[in-house]
Amino acid sequence: MSTVYVFGHKNPDNDAIMSAVVLTQLLNQVKFEGNEYVARRLGPLPAESAKLLAETGTPEPELLESIEPAADGAEPQKVILCDHNESAQTVDGIHNATVFGVVDHHRIGDFETAAPLYYICLPWGSSCTIVRRLFDLLGQTPTKEQTKLLLSAMMTDTLMLKSPTTTNVERELAPKMGEELGVDPIKFGMDVFLSRPSGSFTPEQMVGNDIKQFEVGDKKLLIGQYETVDKTRALGMIPEIREAMRAYQAEKGADGIVLCLTDIMEEGSQVLFEGETEVAQKGLGIANEAGGVWMPGVLSRKKQVAAPILAAAE
Ligand SMILES: [Mn+2]
């Protein structure tokens, strides 16, 4: 029997936390391959995740700083990556681990292993959608608590089914899961969203809370997203936000940084650039303007921001 750590990406969002937490419960429930699964997180717990875990009586996953090399004669630490696969987004020391599995809904970046593994990647709206389907695959019925945690992340990751990353799988599952819980899934998702203390977010939090690093050509590019129900406050803080972007980029040693201030009610993003971002500007078809550029309809970093930027680098 091995202990397997299960965790989502760095700067975790609600999907990264909930997919790891509920997948861990599922795998322990069925004693999958006789291992013991332990949920971990690679960064601070988002406020909405902390609230949902408390409401359902679910223990918070502990922080995992890094994976150390195995002691002489010992097996490397086994891990399951949730909601990511790229090395720049995973735990420090990942090369010291054996990747036992991946449950993800992103592009495959620089992922490589020495041995076969469980690799489940589906282009659905959230990793929690995949975890929900894994219950069916393993002949299990999720508890109400598990359904609540999974549905919360299906809603936050798809911005209440409005993001273009939403698929028919979420459109079909979400109403059924809402019915099981006795809630309207859209309203439930909105309540989860509003439990974020966004009215008090600092520029540093707007930049760093949800940010991912990508290799774009030979450059390191950071792409952050701050989701809000009202962008007015953020738009009044642009100089401070730009300063926080420059500081974050310098701290991470990246070449450039892009930040999307996404207004989920107005359904679009105000996009800011700092550092070397020529490829990013080309990919998005916009220039670097002092106050940022409003891109109507842009809600998904993955599909509408990262993908065109990566394509422009080829
Ligand atoms: Mn996700």
Side-chain angles (χ1 to χ4, degrees), residues 27-71:
L27 296 176
N28 283 327
Q29 234 165 280
V30 299
K31 300 189 168 55
F32 192 77
E33 291 214 354
N35 295 319
E36 187 201 0
Y37 299 86
V38 179
R40 287 284 185 260
R41 60 183 163 87
L42 303 187
L45 203 56
E48 69 269 29
S49 309
K51 182 166 179 277
L52 288 154
L53 293 173
E55 283 170 3
T56 53
T58 311
E60 292 185 357
E62 286 174 29
L63 184 69
L64 179 63
E65 298 273 2
S66 63
I67 306 276
E68 303 304 321

Side-chain angles (χ1 to χ4, degrees), residues 215-230:
E215 307 290 331
V216 179
D218 57 353
K219 304 281 187 209
K220 278 188 191 173
L221 183 72
L222 293 157
I223 307 180
Q225 184 171 32
Y226 170 64
E227 294 165 345
T228 175
V229 290
D230 180 5

